[in-house]
Each structure stands twice: as C-alpha cells, then as structure tokens.
Amino acid sequence: MQHRIIVLGAGYAGATAAGRLAKRLRREDVAITLVNAEPDFVERVRMHQLATGQHLRPRPFGEMLAGTGVEPKLAEVTGIDVDRRTVAVTDAAGARQELAYDTLVYALGSGWNTHGVPGTAEHAHDISGRPGALRLRERLARLESGRPVVVVGGGLTGLEAATEIAEARPDLDVALAARGTLGDWLSPKGRLHLRRVADRLGITVHENTDVTGVGTDHVTTADGTSIPAEVTVWTAGFAVHPVAQATALEVTGTGRIVVDGAMRSVSHPDVYAVGDAALATGPGDKPLRMSCASGIPMAWQAADSIAARLTGTKPPRTPLRYFNQCISLGRREGLIQYVTADDRAVRAALTGRLAALYKELVCKGAAWGVANPTFGMPTRRRPLVRGNAQETSAVRA
C-alpha cells in the first residue's frame, strides 16, 4: 500500500515541498497529492505588479507538475481532523470530499490582516493574493487622474505597492502611511535611497501614523487626522489561514503551527508545516518572518525530513538564515538590503537599477525553483523502509 502524502497549499512553500518529495521518493511507494484552490501557481511576490496592470506569465500546475508524480487537486480546504488523519475539501463545483493521509504537509499560508480596524474589510483593497490584486487592478484602471491613493503599511509589501502604483500611474496622488519612520529597519544607505525614490516618484509619506479607520474616500489616523483616499491599499501585516486553529494541533495565539527543526508539528508527528503557516525559529532562536525567503528553505527542510524518515536515512539540515531583503521600487529602481543571519540590517546595501535587476532575478529564480525543487541536479529516489513508512499509517480509516 502506498504511503499517502497530502500537501495543503501550493504557494512557494507547498509547491516546493511537494516537488522535492517527488524527487526523493519512489513513485510506486508514495501517493503525493497537492491541494490548492487555484489551478495556477501564483507568484505572490509580484502581486503589486499585477495590480498595476502588468501581465504575469501563467504557470498552470498541470504543466509545472507534469511527469513528477505529484497529483494536483483543485479544491478549497475546509477542515482537518488530525486524530482521524483526514482533510475535508470542497471543489469548484461545490462537491465535498474527505481525503485520508499518512503524512500531511500544511502550507496554507496567509492573507491580509485587517487588525480589526473599522472599515478595512469593507473599503480597503488587499494584494496578498491574486483575487485582491485583480480587484485593485480594476479599481485603479477606473480611477481618474489626480485622485488620491493611500497605501497603509510601511513594510516590504507597502513599499513595493506604493512605488509600483506611483511609477505606473504618475497622474495619481499616491501616499504611504507608515506606523514608524520610513524604512526604519534599514541601514542608513537603504533609508536614504528609499526616501530619494519616494520623493522622485512624488509619494507623500505620513510617518509615525497609525491608521484607525478606513472610509469610502479617506482614512482616519489615531490623532483624528483625515487623509483623502479614493482608493486605500491595506498592507499592514498578514494573518494565517484559520483552519489550523480549529484543529488539535499546537498553535500560537495567532494560529501558526508550532514546529521543531525538522518542520514537524510538536504535537502531531505525522503533520509538518511550512511557510507563513508555521512558527519556526532561525539563528538566535528568533522566529522566522513570514516571507518567501523563509518559506522555501522551510519546504526543503520538511521534504528532506519526511523523505529521510520514510527511507531510514539521516536527514540533512537546511540553513534557516537570511542574507538580504530584496525590495522592488517600481520597475527601474530597487533596494537590496544585506542583513545578518537573523535578519538585522548591516551597512551594505545595493541600490538603483542594478538592485532592480537583482530583485527581478530573485523573483524569476524563486518561480524556477518551485518547478525545479532540487535545482536540476540528479537525485536518487529511495525506497521506503516499511517499518518507518508504517509509523504514521498504523491507524487508517
């Protein structure tokens, strides 16, 4: 009987984990199913580009996974029973189904986090996924010249959204509302470049500004100031998919699954979690931030850990550390902030056109890596050691 591996979510982390498992294990020994609500791979790091009308290359899973042995399943995850080892899904036609697993890889990721700010859900736009980015794209296309756009959130997503919109639509009045000072986590060189780009693109920056309400044509700040906003783009953090919090898995207060160094759930050893959905630690025992830079190496580690457990081999350790933060500032400018292993900025930073090209290569490389999870290197598919494979298969429905 084949060992059933189900991967939930086909973002950077989930798709990478599924593909890497297929490269490590013999097809006759395992059945790998990748469950995702969309038929195409979504380059989440490019949603600000999609929102401004740029064309993104389609990446259908049917093509990306062809010949790998991974079976894509188009469905939405509605529930998980970790005691019975089943996943409840609903397909596009509304049909419900229950899938049984022996090993589960949870990679459902995250979406926008409104933080309960009044009016956000009703009036703001979200670019954490393709549906939200497409809605914003339509709204911006209808927006008349001179109208105000406010991007709320001064992190990486907010910076990329504000600069992309300002470059693509120089006729709009674009503003950025940041809770702290502009780029306060960057090096002095990085902060200076960021401010110069914002000035050159005509972006009004509201620093030390806490947005407490979103209306149809304005946002309200903590001090009572009203900032005009025909369109509000909300980028103030991410919230994980709520499914895990409704299970018996050990999760944090925000719903992230607590995992060990192998990306294995500390409460349920047949469940692994990767990407934004998991709370893993890196250098200095600091939690890894929600990002593609964290999710992909987490996926490598999880896949290699599962393969090693099932084949009776020693699992390798993937370095879970950071090297840089890559920020696109429109299509012609960028900022590469070099960081310590635990993600603290150092003095060195790459700026300008070269940084923009660097960021573009990183984005292309990340998408290529999903389709080539072992980087095109030859791999050995090992047979399962039956005692190990049955470790999580003892109880089957």
Side-chain angles (χ1 to χ4, degrees):
M1 184 178 290
Q2 288 181 308
H3 188 90
R4 301 163 300 183
I5 301 174
I6 294 181
V7 181
L8 304 180
Y12 287 99
T16 297
R20 196 170 177 96
L21 281 165
K23 291 284 188 179
R24 297 280 190 249
L25 302 169
R26 297 197 312 184
R27 295 181 189 177
E28 58 266 35
D29 291 338
V30 295
I32 304 173
T33 304
L34 180 61
V35 182
N36 198 57
E38 296 191 59
D40 300 337
F41 173 68
V42 176
E43 292 185 84
R44 189 173 181 181
V45 295
R46 294 188 186 274
M47 289 301 96
H48 54 284
Q49 295 177 238
L50 184 63
T52 54
Q54 296 172 49
H55 174 73
L56 301 185
R57 172 190 166 190
R59 299 179 185 274
F61 285 114
E63 294 179 10
M64 291 182 70
L65 300 174
T68 64
V70 176
E71 178 189 354
K73 185 172 185 60
L74 184 61
E76 181 181 356
V77 178
T78 57
I80 303 170
D81 189 326
V82 291
D83 296 318
R84 295 177 53 238
R85 296 182 183 138
T86 59
V87 177
V89 301
T90 302
D91 66 20
R96 299 178 181 179
Q97 186 180 0
E98 192 172 78
L99 309 176
Y101 66 84
D102 298 310
T103 297
L104 182 70
V105 181
Y106 187 103
L108 288 178
S110 64
W112 70 335
N113 189 350
T114 67
H115 297 288
V117 173
T120 302
E122 296 83 3
H123 305 302
H125 287 268
D126 151 45
I127 57 169
S128 64
R130 181 159 52 188
L134 289 174
R135 284 191 293 270
L136 176 58
R137 177 189 186 120
E138 293 175 0
R139 184 68 186 92
L140 289 174
R142 299 194 307 268
L143 202 58
E144 296 179 354
S145 179
R147 304 309 298 168
V149 175
V150 174
V151 178
V152 180
L156 300 181
T157 305
L159 295 177
E160 293 193 328
T163 52
E164 200 76 46
I165 294 170
E167 181 185 86
R169 292 290 306 273
D171 60 315
L172 298 177
D173 182 10
V174 179
L176 175 70
R179 180 168 286 181
T181 57
L182 185 64
D184 52 12
W185 73 94
L186 299 170
S187 66
K189 180 180 179 180
R191 292 195 299 272
L192 178 61
H193 182 70
L194 180 58
R195 196 168 294 277
R196 285 174 174 171
V197 172
D199 290 344
R200 187 159 58 247
L201 292 174
I203 299 171
T204 301
V205 180
H206 300 277
E207 297 179 283
N208 302 307
T209 299
D210 190 8
V211 173
T212 56
V214 179
T216 56
D217 59 359
H218 70 284
V219 299
T220 305
T221 67
D223 63 3
T225 301
S226 179
I227 302 173
E230 191 83 8
V231 173
T232 300
V233 184
W234 189 270
T235 68
F238 299 102
V240 298
H241 196 289
V243 168
Q245 204 158 24
T247 71
L249 291 165
E250 183 175 335
V251 298
T252 66
T254 57
R256 300 176 78 183
I257 299 172
V258 183
V259 297
D260 61 17
M263 302 301 116
R264 201 174 191 179
S265 163
V266 297
S267 62
H268 291 75
D270 51 336
V271 177
Y272 292 73
V274 295
D276 291 357
L279 179 67
T281 57
D285 291 327
K286 289 178 61 176
L288 299 177
R289 60 180 162 90
M290 292 181 176
S291 66
C292 177
S294 304
I296 290 177
M298 290 168 72
W300 296 338
Q301 181 63 71
D304 291 350
S305 298
I306 294 168
R309 176 172 58 85
L310 296 180
T311 60
T313 57
K314 183 178 179 180
R317 284 292 179 183
T318 299
L320 297 175
R321 57 151 299 162
Y322 298 100
F323 297 93
N324 51 48
Q325 294 181 10
C326 304
I327 312 170
S328 65
L329 303 173
R331 296 298 87 206
R332 295 182 292 274
E333 283 280 359
L335 170 60
I336 310 301
Q337 176 63 65
Y338 298 103
V339 298
T340 59
D342 63 350
D343 210 27
R344 290 175 291 114
V346 298
R347 290 177 60 86
L350 182 66
T351 61
R353 179 60 178 166
L354 188 57
L357 293 173
Y358 187 113
K359 172 63 188 291
E360 180 61 22
L361 288 174
V362 168
C363 291
K364 288 182 176 178
W368 180 87
V370 170
N372 300 272
T374 56
F375 308 107
M377 300 295 289
T379 58
R380 177 183 175 185
R381 292 185 172 91
R382 296 181 179 274
L384 270 60
V385 176
R386 285 301 162 188
N388 293 10
Q390 292 166 359
E391 169 192 340
T392 57
S393 306
V395 179
R396 283 198 170 185

